[in-house]
Amino acid sequence: MSNKPIICFDTSKNERFQVSDNYKMMHRKLKANWNVEQSDAELQKERLSRVKIFVLAGPQDRFTEDEFEVLKHYVEVDGGSLLVLLGEGGEQEFNTNVNFFLEQYGIYINGDNVVRPHYYKNFHPKECIVGGGVVCESMWRHLIKLDIEKVDYDFSDEKYKIHFQYPYGATLNVSEPANVLLTTGPVVYPFNRPLAGYYTNGKGGKILALGSGYIWHDKYLQDKTNDAILEYVLKLLGGDAISYTHLDFNDVELSDNKHFTDLAFLADMPKACLIDSIGTEMPTDFKQMFDMEMCALSNRLLKDVIDTYEQLHVKYEPLRIIKPQFEIPLPNLQLATFPPIFSEPPAPPLELYDLDETFSGARSQLAHMTGQCLQALQSKEPARRSLNPRELENYVKECARITAIVGEQQDMPAREILNIVARQIVSYRPYAED
C-alpha cells in the first residue's frame, strides 16, 4: 500500500480539463508524489474522506444540493482541500452552478474574460501574460527565489519581475473570509481584479478557486512560472507547510468590478451636435444626450405625399429603377498581341578592362611587350644591361600566351615553349624549300 497522498479529479460533471486529455503533463508531474485518481460517480462523503485534494477541473454540468452538502462536509469537517478551476465566461459558459457553493466562502467566479490589450509573446489577446499579478507576499517571495523566467528590469517592487501565463480566463470577486492570491495586475484588462481566491478554516479545510483551468493546460504548463505556481498550489493544499498571516495581504491593490454599457449600440445613435448643452448642466441620465428617434422609419406621411400629387395636378407614378450610365475614363482593356519588350542588359564596365590588351592584335601585343622589356633594359646601368633568367622566362611565357601557344591558365616552362616553337618552325621548312 503506497503512502502517497491521494489527489482525485472529478469526471462526473463532464469536466473540460482531464488528466487523460489536456492535463497529461500535469499527470506525469503528479505521479511522482501523489496517487492520482479519477471519480466519475456521484459525490459521496465516504469516498472523499480519504482524498487529500479534490479537483473540479472545469465542470460543465450542475451539482445537486446533496453534492454541495458533501463538498461542504469534506471541507469543514474532514479538513479536505478543494481546487476549483473554470474559464472565460464563468458559469454561463460552462453551464454549471459551482458559484452557489463558493459564495458561502466569499468567492465568486465572474462571467467575463481577461485580455491583454497589446501583443506580448502570445498572439491571441486572451492568452494573457500577467505581470505583477502575484500579490500574496509570501507567495511571490517564494517564487522569486526559484529558477523561473524573470523580467530583467529595475522594478521598485520585485513582484513585478514575475510574469505568468493566464489564458482564456475570467476574474473573481473575493471577500471575507477568503483572500486574494493572484490578480490581473496593472497591464491586463480589467486592471487589478482577482484571479485566484483562497479560503481556509481552523480544521485544515481549504478552498482555492482559479478563474482559468487553461493555466495548467499542456500547452501552457511548459512555462516555468506556471509550473512553479502549480508546485506551490499543491504544497499549499496538500500540507501545512505554508501558512499566511494578515501581513501577507496588506499590500493587495484591487479595483472595483465595473460594468460598461453597450458602447456599439450607443455609438450608432449620437446627436449631430451638442452645442445646445454648452453652458448648461449635464443630465444625470446620460441617455438623455442621445436621440433614440433620429434613426426611426415611418410611413405615416405617405398619404399626405400622394395627396400632394393630386393638388399639383401631377401624375403619380411609382419610382422605377433607372439603369445608370457610367463614363469610362480609361480605354477598354485589350489583350497584348506583341511579345513583351525586355530591357537590354547593361554594357560591360569598360573601366575595369585594359582596352589595349583586350582589343589589340597579337602583333601589337608582342611589340608592346618587347618595347616594355627594352625600356626596362635601357633604364639599367650599362654594365648590367642583360635579362636575368627569371625575366627571360617570364618574357617567353607572356609571348606564348599572346600567340596562343599555351592556354590562359596553363603553366609551362620556357624550355618546353621554345621546343614547341622550334618544332613548328622545322615543320614549315620543307614547304619553304619548295
Side-chain angles (χ1 to χ4, degrees):
M1 185 68 180
S2 175
N3 294 326
K4 296 180 181 179
I6 299 175
I7 180 171
C8 182
F9 287 79
D10 183 42
T11 59
S12 64
K13 302 303 177 186
N14 189 24
E15 272 73 8
R16 182 174 296 184
F17 311 104
Q18 300 185 13
V19 294
S20 59
D21 183 14
N22 38 33
Y23 274 4
K24 293 180 180 179
M25 187 178 296
M26 179 198 286
H27 189 198
R28 290 195 298 269
K29 292 178 178 293
L30 292 176
K31 287 193 297 185
N33 301 311
W34 296 81
N35 284 329
V36 183
E37 296 182 359
Q38 298 186 64
S39 174
D40 58 354
E42 185 178 354
L43 302 183
Q44 298 178 357
K45 296 180 181 179
E46 295 77 11
R47 181 174 180 83
L48 293 184
S49 61
R50 63 185 187 86
V51 175
K52 185 60 181 176
I53 302 178
F54 188 66
V55 184
L56 302 177
Q60 299 183 101
D61 290 331
R62 295 180 174 274
F63 293 87
T64 63
E65 189 174 349
D66 293 337
E67 289 176 322
F68 280 145
E69 289 295 328
V70 172
L71 292 177
K72 186 175 182 179
H73 183 274
Y74 171 69
V75 173
E76 297 183 358
V77 179
D78 296 339
S81 298
L82 179 65
L83 177 61
V84 181
L85 306 171
L86 274 189
E88 61 172 331
E91 281 190 341
Q92 184 176 1
E93 177 69 22
F94 282 74
N95 191 30
T96 184
N97 59 343
V98 70
N99 277 338
F100 181 81
F101 172 76
L102 295 177
E103 281 181 312
Q104 304 176 52
Y105 305 98
I107 303 173
Y108 184 89
I109 301 177
N110 297 318
D112 56 6
N113 56 351
V114 178
V115 296
R116 181 150 185 153
H118 59 276
Y119 166 74
Y120 181 69
K121 292 186 178 180
N122 295 331
F123 291 101
H124 200 287
K126 293 183 181 179
E127 295 178 315
C128 303
I129 304 293
V130 179
V134 184
V135 294
C136 175
E137 186 168 352
S138 296
M139 185 175 181
W140 71 258
R141 289 191 183 279
H142 172 81
L143 295 177
I144 203 71
K145 300 176 183 177
L146 303 179
D147 182 20
I148 60 176
E149 295 182 3
K150 306 179 186 68
V151 178
D152 188 13
Y153 190 79
D154 188 15
F155 292 102
S156 59
D157 199 338
E158 286 187 332
K159 68 180 179 182
Y160 292 104
K161 295 184 178 181
I162 302 175
H163 282 202
F164 62 91
Q165 300 197 41
Y166 190 79
Y168 307 102
T171 65
L172 280 70
N173 289 337
V174 180
S175 58
E176 294 290 341
N179 293 302
V180 180
L181 297 182
L182 304 175
T183 67
T184 57
V187 179
V188 177
Y189 286 162
F191 298 140
N192 298 318
R193 292 295 302 155
L195 299 180
Y198 174 69
Y199 163 82
T200 184
N201 56 29
K203 295 188 177 181
K206 303 173 184 178
I207 299 177
L208 195 149
L210 193 61
S212 173
Y214 290 94
I215 188 172
W216 296 318
H217 190 279
D218 291 339
K219 178 181 177 181
Y220 306 101
L221 193 57
Q222 300 175 6
D223 185 88
K224 291 184 178 180
T225 309
N226 285 29
D227 189 14
I229 292 176
L230 173 61
E231 296 292 338
Y232 184 86
V233 168
L234 293 175
K235 188 176 180 181
L236 173 65
L237 299 179
D240 299 328
I242 301 176
S243 59
Y244 298 133
T245 65
H246 66 281
L247 298 177
D248 292 319
F249 307 101
N250 275 347
D251 194 21
V252 179
E253 182 180 356
L254 298 178
S255 302
D256 296 334
N257 189 20
K258 298 180 180 179
H259 296 276
F260 295 94
T261 55
D262 192 345
L263 299 180
F265 173 75
L266 295 177
D268 288 336
M269 292 182 291
K271 283 186 175 179
C273 185
L274 298 177
I275 296 179
D276 295 338
S277 64
I278 296 178
T280 61
E281 295 184 359
M282 297 294 290
T284 305
D285 185 7
F286 70 93
K287 294 181 181 179
Q288 296 179 7
M289 299 175 59
F290 295 85
D291 190 353
M292 303 300 181
E293 297 180 356
M294 287 183 63
C295 299
L297 297 176
S298 175
N299 58 356
R300 57 187 176 86
L301 299 178
L302 179 60
K303 184 178 181 303
D304 297 338
V305 173
I306 296 176
D307 293 341
T308 305
Y309 278 86
E310 296 180 357
Q311 296 174 8
L312 297 176
H313 304 286
V314 177
K315 184 180 179 181
Y316 173 74
E317 294 179 354
L319 296 178
R320 293 178 298 176
I321 298 177
I322 301 175
K323 185 178 180 181
Q325 295 181 356
F326 300 101
E327 294 183 2
I328 303 176
L330 298 176
N332 295 331
L333 181 64
Q334 295 181 354
L335 297 178
T337 57
F338 49 85
I341 300 176
F342 298 100
S343 59
E344 295 292 335
L350 297 180
E351 65 274 6
L352 302 180
Y353 289 86
D354 187 349
L355 300 182
D356 292 338
E357 181 181 351
T358 303
F359 296 106
S360 60
R363 291 179 179 273
S364 300
Q365 294 186 36
L366 287 174
H368 181 68
M369 183 68 185
T370 305
Q372 288 182 343
C373 291
L374 293 176
Q375 186 178 0
L377 287 175
Q378 292 177 0
S379 62
K380 295 182 179 180
E381 298 177 0
R384 301 177 59 185
R385 287 182 180 175
S386 62
L387 293 174
N388 57 39
R390 180 176 297 177
E391 293 177 344
L392 183 60
E393 184 170 359
N394 291 337
Y395 174 76
V396 173
K397 288 182 178 181
E398 187 65 21
C399 292
R401 183 190 63 79
I402 294 173
T403 55
I405 296 176
V406 297
E408 290 287 343
Q409 305 296 331
Q410 187 177 1
D411 187 13
M412 185 180 293
R415 292 178 179 276
E416 295 184 11
I417 295 174
L418 294 176
N419 185 28
I420 294 174
V421 174
R423 288 178 179 275
Q424 291 182 356
I425 294 174
V426 170
S427 65
Y428 288 124
R429 288 185 61 186
Y431 300 100
E433 293 176 356
D434 293 341

